[in-house]
Amino acid sequence: MNAPENIAKIPSTARVASLLAKQVASTFDQLGLSFDDRLGSDLTVFSPIDGSELAALRMATPGDVDAMVANARTAFAAWKLVPAPHRGELVRRYGALVREHKEPLSLLLSIENGKILTEARGEVQEVIDICEYAVGLSRQLFGLTIASERPEHRLTEYWHPMGVLGLISAFNFPAAVWAWGTTVALVCGDSAIWKPSEKTPLTALAFAGLLAKAADDYDLAPDHLVQVAIGDARCGTAIADHPDVAIVSATGSVRMGQDVAVRVAGRFGRSVLELGGNNAAIIAPSADLDLALRGAVFAATGTCGQRCTTLRRLIVHNSIRDAFVQRLTATFATLRIGSPLDDATHVGPLIDQMAFDGMQRALEQARREGGIVHGGERLDLAGATDGYYVRPAIVEMPGQSAIVREETFAPILYVMGYDTLDDAIALQNGVSQGLSSSIFTNDMREAERFQSAQGSDCGIVNVNIGTSGAEIGGAFGGEKVTGGGRVSGSDSWKNYMRRATATVNYSASLPLAQGVKFDLDIDP
Ligand code: NAD
């Protein structure tokens, strides 16, 4: 389904304002949900499409968070006793509901977050996919049996539910990151509290509302299994500090992660951190340059440069650098920038003015550091005076200066040259972040080296594809200040469970490990 014709274009501001808010209300109707009980005056939610108000909500107080945690603990006590495959059944039903409502959910996500509809649909698909993944996982939460050094002993590892998960998420993936963590945590036997970004709470209420519906219809699901705490950083802090929140999964900026990590570590809680990236692609002389161009443009400009995996640094071999930059700038000039609800649009708006100001500050600093800037200016779209639409920028840099080493959450692609693969890898690794990386090359030795221990130091290492667009099966996350967490994929379910190592002696003697002797004279 395409967006309704009348809101795909951007007409006069007043008209759009009422249309988008009405569209949100009608989407909740279609989903059979309401957010009336969340209405208030502390938090105004805007659409980045035109800056119009979508709703005003009430934020959770620290007292509300306390009550939610108490409810979540009660829910956990019941849920952990439900066999894992039956926990999977709840997630299966939820996935079916999301699939049934994919279009309205995509539209809502696009209106609140500003990503283009095809990317919004992709994000909803990711929620559906992770549900299927989690259902399968619910029958595969296995431990190991380890060879014991003692005769007639069995040594086993069990995985048990961990407790309450507090999940803090960012605005740029307002549904998928929550689903990655929560659906897996649910099959692992945990209860959960979601603190979504204050910029995208309506999307959260819709996705969590459908989960609550699935839980209401499922006898084995206790009340309050998944709750939503609407609020800003203070609400996130209350969750991070709470001694009864066993796991804090936090996705967002490095600044946020630094605060959350210390708070959670201070009380010996478990944190899973998914923080900022500053992702690079190397374009080698042997690369298929058409492929590299396509890969680079999508990775740099998708979601208006607001993906954690967005391509921010391009490291191009000096022999092809000028020609490649010329093709890159020509292709950037063809990008259609406009309403994300229009199927023809490539690049929607930035989330808000703060993001725009940050982008302009970064471009100014890049100029001071010797950069040549192409694009980056704000575009005036009729009827969208409070929407922040920009032409994605390419900045030719003389080297990896201070601004290049920072993550600016906007579509800015810094381009640098290199002579040897060693130099390129040193540039790629020469930043504090370690999320995603890629190399475009047809040279097998280069490709292998890049993936090896001598190559990229990132959590994600790609060959001949861009830095963004990860699949759910692989462990997702990054190293260094990106936080080291793996929210989902592969064996990251272990983050949501606790391990018990059990030794059973089925002999009539008591041999001690490592041959320790401790003979006692015990009267029979
Ligand atoms: P942000 O850090 O401003 O906010 C993220 C979330 O943290 C929000 O819910 C916010 O309310 C909360 N928060 C902020 N400060 C907090 C604190 N001190 N204690 C507790 N909670 C706090 O980030 P954002 O602007 O929403 O998102 C963009 C950032 O997120 C970028 O840096 C991006 O790279 C990163 N990100 C990383 C990943 C990943 O998987 N590595 C995925 C998406 C986004």
Side-chain angles (χ1 to χ4, degrees), residues 343-371:
D343 275 333
T345 298
H346 291 119
V347 182
L350 285 167
I351 186 75
D352 56 18
Q353 179 175 359
M354 214 166 72
F356 173 73
D357 292 345
M359 177 175 181
Q360 298 310 308
R361 273 197 307 274
L363 291 176
E364 268 314 303
Q365 186 176 336
R367 284 191 186 96
R368 286 198 302 275
E369 292 175 7

Side-chain angles (χ1 to χ4, degrees), residues 252-254 274-279 308 407 433-435 479 481-483:
S253 57
V254 173
E274 290 283 5
L275 310 175
N278 188 357
N279 318 294
C308 51
E407 179 197 47
Q433 308 85 351
L435 182 53
E479 303 304 330
V481 304
T482 303

Side-chain angles (χ1 to χ4, degrees), residues 168-170 172 177 180 248-254 256-257 271-277 308-309 435 460 475-479 481-489 492 495-496:
I168 300 169
S169 61
N172 65 323
V177 171
W180 291 352
V248 178
S249 168
T251 299
S253 57
V254 173
M256 176 278 282
S271 59
V272 181
L273 301 172
E274 290 283 5
L275 310 175
C308 51
T309 50
L435 182 53
I460 298 170
F476 184 90
E479 303 304 330
V481 304
T482 303
R486 298 294 186 274
V487 140
S488 207
S492 52
N495 283 324
Y496 305 98

Side-chain angles (χ1 to χ4, degrees), residues 249-264:
S249 168
T251 299
S253 57
V254 173
R255 183 180 31 80
M256 176 278 282
Q258 274 163 341
D259 185 26
V260 168
V262 171
R263 288 174 187 277
V264 179

